[in-house]
Amino acid sequence: MQLSTKGRYAVMAMVDLAKRGASLVLHGRSPEKLAASAAAVEQARSGAVVGTVCADLSRLDDVRRMASEVQEQAPRLDVVLANAGIDRSLHETYY
């Protein structure tokens, strides 16, 4: 699967960090997109250390599981890059 970076700023940032020697743990909701993102990073830098965690951050049980998995894969975090969207339709309900 080829991953287009057009409009995918997070992927471009991950590739840049990997080229600079960073070890990465990627998060996504879609296993397919997550695997494609990890493959793009690994392709950009041979030997890149890329972990993945699939979770839906709108589900508290997934958030807890993700925290545990990230801690296992990377006991120390130097940088957290967050790329999140906001569903404005939830504004009336939750804010």
Side-chain angles (χ1 to χ4, degrees), residues 6-79:
K6 181 178 181 185
R8 306 241 348 183
Y9 301 110
V11 173
M12 292 185 290
M14 291 183 287
V15 165
D16 184 60
L17 288 168
K19 286 181 178 178
R20 295 171 188 257
S23 298
L24 306 171
V25 178
L26 312 182
H27 158 262
R29 287 179 297 181
S30 162
E32 295 81 15
K33 289 181 181 180
L34 185 57
S37 294
V41 172
E42 291 166 345
Q43 182 179 10
R45 178 176 163 249
S46 178
V49 177
V50 182
T52 60
V53 178
C54 191
D56 181 345
L57 298 182
S58 70
R59 299 175 49 100
L60 189 55
D61 58 330
D62 274 16
V63 172
R64 289 184 176 127
R65 181 183 49 77
M66 183 178 116
S68 177
E69 289 182 28
V70 168
Q71 190 172 30
E72 288 175 17
Q73 295 183 42
R76 174 183 160 179
L77 293 177
D78 293 315
V79 176

